[in-house]
Amino acid sequence: MTQPKKLYIKTYGCQMNVYDSERMAEALGASGYVPTDAPEDADMILLNTCHIREKAAEKVYSELGRLKGLKAGNPDLKIGVAGCVAQAEGEEILRRQPLVDLVVGPQSYHRLPELEARARSGAKALDTDFPEEDKFDRLGARPKAQRGPTAFLTVQEGCDKFCAFCVVPYTRGAEVSRPAARILDEARALVDRGVAEITLLGQNVNAYHGVGPDGADWGLARLIRELARIEGLERLRYTTSHPNDMEDDLIAAHGDCPELMPYLHLPVQSGSDRILKAMNRKHTAEEYLRLIDRIRAARPDILLSGDFIVGFPGETDADFEDTMSLVRTVGYGQCYSFKYSPRPGTPAAEHDQLPEDVKSERLARLQALLNAQQEAAQQAMVGRTVGVLFEKPGRMPGQLVGKSDHLQAVHVNAPAELMGRIAPVRIVKAAPNSLGGELA
């Protein structure tokens, strides 16, 4: 029998890249590849890259440099770069790192088997097109092997917002929504494999508008309500959202769809109207705050998360204080905050940049406030009983770890047979990033 080839994928960045890595592994499975966790054992190494973080491309080149020894020891090893850095850099990757055998963008990974065959023949393989065919349709049905209790499911890709700091419209393309029937079929297949919680993914997920089985246009709320009808699917989440696409029916779904968990990641980026306009966000701070009020009216116990960029070109002390004021008004349970760093090809990269020490000082102040809010939200859980979906063993003997309804990590002494199931847990202690509980 032919020995199976081994595939190692290193995934950078967002949840969508995690999903994409799964689908790439499935696509190459048809060419005889099986996954491995050890790059030194691999016949192919794929770096599935992200272009959002600072110096993303240089970090990929550094990682490729570290792979030179493996390539020298195994000339048959094939190395590929996928994802958003691949889309942005294209032929430059092949020029700068001759050890790379194939480069594939995020819209073309359904073509991986033919690219792999080309690389095996000794040719360099490059595909960073935005093909007309639906890659999800070309990938076909997912394997039937059992899997863990949570899964990501991409429903929408690309973005039409063109925020001044963001590369997504250039690396992922225009907004495209998958047909609802295909999403429902994939969700049912995931549930049949043991999944109890699905997180719907999109660069701008609440802009989802896909054709439904009835031929009508379905928004995200309609899709969520239909997914909630799948027997065995107990939890639904979605990320990442844009404030301008929080439609009335989606807000209502947070209040009347019990499968939709009380957690929402809704980035605002800044509390200054002047900076929001410069960012091309097309909403004001006051509009965002009114939206938060409506969401909380629909689901009072919802935990809110967000993203903030400090030090955007032109940001003054007064602009930054507007951000601090907005954070105090909202009260977040989780947040992500970053210093602005230019992305080549984006409008904001052409403007004068703030000094690094100013950005660092502002980020430290913002993170201190956000950390205090997160700790307060964690402490507020003590004494409450929440549902916890157990996902994996904990570090301590007899311990399981899962996620609460609010997406908080919870550690519990519990029997192994609860793995993959939801159980009521009374929270007895809180740490900054996790909770401790007892089975109720």
Side-chain angles (χ1 to χ4, degrees), residues 32-49:
Y33 282 89
V34 296
T36 179
D37 294 326
E40 60 273 14
D41 294 337
D43 297 287
M44 173 176 281
I45 295 175
L46 273 180
L47 304 181
N48 188 13
T49 62

Side-chain angles (χ1 to χ4, degrees), residues 14 189 193-194 225 246 297 312 376 383 395:
C14 66
R193 295 166 61 195
R225 293 179 194 279
M246 285 298 299
F312 189 81
R395 294 181 180 177

Side-chain angles (χ1 to χ4, degrees), residues 82 145 157 173 217 223 237 243 268 299 312 317 340 390 425 431:
E157 282 195 291
D217 181 68
L223 178 65
R237 306 182 190 274
V268 62
R299 187 68 194 254
F312 189 81
D317 288 340
Y340 172 76
F390 291 109
V425 171

Side-chain angles (χ1 to χ4, degrees), residues 364-380:
R365 287 179 55 201
L366 175 61
Q367 288 184 337
L369 175 58
L370 292 171
N371 289 341
Q373 290 189 348
Q374 179 170 325
E375 289 184 20
Q378 296 284 98
Q379 291 292 336

Side-chain angles (χ1 to χ4, degrees), residues 11 18 45 82 84 103 110 134 163 169 180 189 241 299 333 368-369 379 426 432 436:
T11 305
V18 175
I45 295 175
C84 291
V103 176
H110 58 293
D134 184 344
C163 295
S241 307
R299 187 68 194 254
L369 175 58
Q379 291 292 336
R426 188 172 68 89

